Amino acid sequence: MDLTAKQSKIFNFLKDFILEKDYPPSIRDIQNHCSISSTSVVDYNLKKLEEKGLIRRDKDISRGIEILGDNNIRSRTVRVPLLGKIAAGKPINIPTEGAIDDYTNAIELSRDQIGTKSDLFALQIKGNSMIDALIQDGDIIVLERTNQFDNGDMVAVWIDSDNSTTFKRIYKLDNKIKLEPMNRKMKPFYIDPASFQVQGRFVTSIRHWWH
């Protein structure tokens, strides 16, 4: 298959990076390593590699690049920092993308569990407010770092008004935010849209060994 010199350089860098890091490079990584003038040029050449069936991309996900075909080099595991328990009293100290390796407490997850998602962190659940979603006390939840959400998402939320962090299903109503426990014995509660911040969106959960 005919590739331009630039496309070959990018493709080889993708393979080498994934083999070394076990996750795909960012657009900026590609730009810097391959000495490309702009991220738009990187994007153009990635589109060409995708058209030629060499890669698959998910533009909605940071680092959402997968090698395809006979050159099927895939990330095997991803190291996700475990930041402790989600509990009241303080916001989650979420690491920046480049600081993940600074955390000594971490879990290893396969790409089968998280797909191509990156910017992940993990928390241990405290309590049983989400048991109807099959998430119990002591389980580990994995979240992607974001402040965006869609109605019905399960998210970690910092609530300014009472200085607490919680993990609930979220809904945006006309003039308030509804946070709903996934436990039929518990009632939803409502907060001011100006008094909260989503810190992460649910990706997957891991059942703790004692269950």
Side-chain angles (χ1 to χ4, degrees), residues 141-155:
I141 56 170
V142 178
L143 304 104
E144 58 178 331
R145 179 163 53 98
T146 181
N147 57 12
Q148 304 298 313
F149 69 92
D150 296 318
N151 276 351
D153 282 347
M154 292 192 292
V155 295

Side-chain angles (χ1 to χ4, degrees), residues 35-50:
S35 301
I36 295 174
S37 58
S38 68
T39 55
S40 61
V41 174
V42 174
D43 186 69
Y44 170 83
N45 283 282
L46 289 174
K47 284 180 182 176
K48 292 301 179 183
L49 292 174
E50 189 171 28

Side-chain angles (χ1 to χ4, degrees), residues 74-121:
R74 302 189 60 172
S75 304
R76 296 180 292 279
T77 62
V78 176
R79 186 174 185 270
V80 177
L82 179 59
L83 306 184
K85 293 182 178 181
I86 183 166
K90 59 182 179 181
I92 305 163
N93 182 21
I94 302 172
T96 60
E97 185 176 349
I100 286 176
D101 289 338
D102 295 340
Y103 285 77
T104 56
N105 293 327
I107 57 175
E108 296 285 340
L109 299 176
S110 71
R111 281 293 173 189
D112 290 339
Q113 292 173 285
I114 61 171
T116 56
K117 288 184 173 62
S118 61
D119 294 349
L120 302 176
F121 62 96

